Structures are given as structure tokens and as C-alpha cells.
Amino acid sequence: MKKFLSALLIIALVFSMTACAKSDPKASVSGYLDALKSGNIEGMNKYIKSDSEDQVKEVFNNENKMNEEAFLKAYSKLNYKILSSEVNGDTATVETEINGPNLGKIMTELIQEALPLAFAAAFKEDKSEDNIDDLMNTMLLDKVNSDDMPMVKKTVKIDLVKENNNWIINPSDDFTNAITGNLADMSKLFE
């Protein structure tokens, strides 16, 4: 009987710990960032507002497998540390230090290096855009595979809302820039 009660108590504790983890905003932030590190799009979508899912898929679901490989490699190097969490009813803020790939800097360098090559190719008889695209993709992959890939550390306050008893990230521009190394701000220049 004691063994049965002990087993029942252990099962109850495991279920109560699991239930607490699901309703913890810090666990949602960790779940999202861990899924980002591994390139698990479906995992990421569980923790982010549904109207942001398309943006997530756009980054990883790319027709170009080299680009996809480069982003997966870059994000595998992401690290984070949760500093604090504050819950206020059905909203929460999780302050997190994110050290991620500086994709803004990488893309700026890539454009600077590729622009002269693109101009040179424009004056050649063989004006294949595929060759330039392949070259840029190779250069991008080389940059993220480098041991000295530029990283950027930012402390950001991540906003969450409670939906159906789960904490969901409501991404802000600060959060997006923190995980993309300011690539989000850079992309606004081309709009």
C-alpha cells in the first residue's frame, strides 16, 4: 500500500510540475528560443501569436536550401539567459538577455562584398542571375559557418499574453531585432 501511495504521489507531483511549466511565461520564452535554436518551426509557432506565424515560416521555409541551411546554422549559435519575469493578470513580461547572430551585420557585409561582383557580372556576356545568387548563398553560408561569426547581445523585454491557459509571445520590434541581430530594422530600409 505504501508503494502504491508513493507512486501515486510521484505521479501527482509530475503532473502538477508539468501543469505549472505550461502556465509559466519563462517556460514559453525558453520553449520558443530553444525551438528557434533547433529550427523547429512548429515548436516556435506554439509559443507565438498566430498572426506572427507567417513571419516565422518566411525565415525558415525558403525555396533556397542554402539560405535555409545558413539560417539554421546561424540560429544554432544563439544563447539566452532569462533575467526576470513579471506577471500581471493575463499579461507578462520576461526580461531576457539574447546573444544571437548579428544577421544585420552579416547581410551588410555580404551586400558590400557581392555588389562589385554583381556589377562585374552585369557587363559580362553570361548575365546569369543564378550564378550571382549561388555565389551570394555560398558567401552567406561561409559567414555563418565561420568561427568568428558576428554575434550581438541584447537585453529585451518580451511581452506575453495568456491564451487558453498558455503564455504566448506577442513579438515586438525589439524582440524581433534581438533574435535577428537587427535584420528586421535593416529590412525596413528596403520596403
Side-chain angles (χ1 to χ4, degrees), residues 106-115 136 139-140 143:
I106 290 171
M107 295 307 285
T108 300
E109 290 174 359
L110 184 63
I111 290 168
Q112 288 173 344
E113 292 170 16
L115 198 57
M136 287 186 68
M139 291 168 67
L140 175 61
K143 286 186 177 300

Side-chain angles (χ1 to χ4, degrees), residues 148-166:
D148 62 345
M149 181 182 81
M151 303 287 282
V152 62
K153 188 181 288 188
K154 291 186 173 214
T155 300
V156 63
K157 291 185 179 188
I158 303 169
D159 297 321
L160 295 97
V161 293
K162 198 169 199 178
E163 291 181 1
N164 300 323
N165 258 356
N166 293 313

